[in-house]
Amino acid sequence: MAEPGRAGGSPEPPVQVSIILPVHNSERWLDQCLKSVWEQDFEGTMELSIFNDASKDGSAEIIEKWKIKLEEVGVSVIIGTNNSSQPRGVGFAKNQAVIQSSGTYLCFLDSDDVMMPQRVRLQHEVAIQHPNSVFTSHGPTVIMPTWFCSREWFFHVGRFDEGGKGVPEDLLFFYEHLQKGGGVFRVNHCLLLYRYHPQAATHSVLEGTIWNHRVRFLEDRVLSSWTSFTIWNAGKQGKKLYRSLSPANQKKVTAFCDVDEKKITKGFYTYEESEERPKPRIPVCHFRDATPPLVICVKLDLTGGAFETNLATLNLKEGMDYYHFN
């Protein structure tokens, strides 16, 4: 008996790209989002994998309407649903959408965002050349809005955390991606309209949660191989970073450095909350006198690139190693 598929019994070729779309109470934005899938200029095979995570609004009806339109232009639509009264969260919905899909590559899309028509085509073109990378574009963050990666690499990294509301599943996946040797490749075109609004899932993640995950990653990825370092910033952020470090890494801090004469004149930062006796006193010096390597704990976007340029010059002249923590 012939296998189902094309004429002559030959199987259908694998889908090249699966668009992964988690949905939860998204009726306000879903029409624009799905229209942007319909408008893609990618000429390869493409499917849309939607997981509706316990939506209680009109999202399901909008999805069914667009399913007809998309399949008329050759984009198959797979719909999974959590029919319980409570949503399982973004990580769970993304994982389910991936599991039910079949594409060689995964194009992640949030239900409140809008893709530019060239997005899938441009990212697919570079993805076949860089198999172990996550692909991103211009935007407010490297995390998630325009991720595009191979199915094989996604499962190698190991899926999203399914802890639910308040868990930064994209950040945790990204850190695991880096730990396993993955790269980041930016497509230098505008690929997506990112919508920032009060109902966005990102607001459920507390700033302190993000901070703690970033500090642990810094310690595991960078500080574990350093015997000592200087924190660039003797102000609020630098001191917060110091207090957030493990006791072992606090002992590696040889100094704070800064450009503010008032902070430098004080000479030391005393960690009053420490239970050690005597309390730790960390010197504060001018950045020109700092001993590398450095952890730079400042906002780099306030100088229009001047800070980064000056830092690069300093690094070339003095051979400094540094890590940005901003």
Side-chain angles (χ1 to χ4, degrees), residues 21-326:
L21 181 63
V23 172
H24 174 67
N25 291 342
S26 304
E27 66 176 0
R28 182 176 176 182
W29 309 283
L30 203 48
D31 267 315
Q32 284 184 301
C33 176
L34 294 175
K35 184 173 183 286
S36 75
V37 176
W38 184 73
E39 291 178 337
Q40 289 302 296
D41 63 13
F42 180 60
E43 294 182 354
T45 53
M46 187 171 66
E47 69 180 10
L48 173 63
S49 180
I50 301 174
F51 191 83
N52 188 357
D53 188 21
S55 293
K56 294 179 174 61
D57 61 359
S59 294
E61 290 76 13
I62 296 171
I63 291 168
E64 289 297 332
K65 177 187 70 176
W66 277 101
K67 182 178 188 296
I68 296 170
K69 293 183 178 181
L70 287 163
E71 292 188 339
E72 286 177 348
V73 296
V75 179
S76 60
V77 179
I78 306 100
I79 303 170
T81 307
N82 170 17
N83 290 315
S84 69
S85 59
Q86 295 296 324
R88 294 282 301 275
V90 180
F92 173 80
K94 288 175 183 174
N95 287 338
Q96 292 301 307
V98 171
I99 291 167
Q100 71 189 16
S101 70
S102 62
T104 303
Y105 293 95
L106 308 174
C107 175
F108 290 92
L109 176 63
D110 290 337
S111 58
D112 51 359
D113 293 341
V114 177
M115 295 192 291
M116 301 297 105
Q118 67 271 25
R119 180 191 174 184
V120 172
R121 172 175 55 82
L122 292 175
Q123 291 193 289
H124 181 262
E125 287 174 358
V126 296
I128 58 178
Q129 302 173 36
H130 303 273
N132 297 340
S133 292
V134 162
F135 302 93
T136 181
S137 177
H138 304 81
T141 173
V142 74
I143 303 300
M144 208 65 223
T146 54
W147 277 11
F148 191 108
C149 67
S150 71
R151 171 180 298 277
E152 181 180 6
W153 184 253
F154 175 84
F155 283 107
H156 175 72
V157 174
R159 306 187 188 185
F160 292 104
D161 187 291
E162 296 186 0
K165 188 175 182 179
V167 174
E169 82 293 331
D170 50 357
L171 181 64
L172 297 178
F173 182 93
F174 188 65
Y175 283 166
E176 188 67 21
H177 161 77
L178 295 178
Q179 293 280 27
K180 292 189 174 180
V184 181
F185 188 95
R186 193 177 87 168
V187 179
N188 290 313
H189 296 272
C190 182
L191 300 182
L192 181 135
L193 172 64
Y194 176 79
R195 201 186 304 269
Y196 189 79
H197 58 89
Q199 290 77 43
T202 186
H203 295 300
S204 70
V205 183
L206 299 177
E207 182 180 345
T209 300
I210 297 290
W211 176 272
N212 290 334
H213 282 301
R214 292 174 65 204
V215 172
R216 299 291 83 79
F217 180 79
L218 170 67
E219 292 186 310
D220 293 342
R221 180 82 170 179
V222 179
L223 302 186
S224 61
S225 64
W226 289 1
T227 57
S228 64
F229 61 96
T230 300
I231 295 177
W232 184 319
N233 188 332
K236 181 178 178 181
Q237 288 296 96
K239 293 173 182 176
K240 178 182 176 182
L241 173 60
Y242 174 83
R243 294 193 298 269
S244 301
L245 297 173
S246 67
N249 282 315
Q250 286 178 352
K251 293 182 184 300
K252 295 181 182 180
V253 179
T254 57
F256 291 90
C257 70
D258 213 295
V259 295
D260 188 330
E261 291 296 337
K262 291 182 180 178
K263 296 172 184 174
I264 296 168
T265 301
K266 290 181 179 179
F268 289 89
Y269 163 63
T270 302
Y271 182 25
E272 297 290 352
E273 294 85 355
S274 174
E275 296 180 358
E276 291 186 32
R277 295 294 182 273
K279 296 181 186 294
R281 297 179 76 218
I282 300 91
V284 179
C285 64
H286 193 279
F287 77 87
R288 291 194 182 92
D289 301 319
T291 301
L294 306 175
V295 175
I296 303 167
C297 194
V298 295
K299 294 183 178 180
L300 302 181
D301 62 343
L302 301 182
T303 64
F307 180 88
E308 186 73 22
T309 301
N310 291 336
L311 183 63
T313 303
L314 180 65
N315 184 50
L316 288 170
K317 288 181 177 179
E318 303 185 18
M320 286 189 176
D321 292 326
Y322 60 88
Y323 181 90
H324 296 164
F325 190 87
N326 64 307

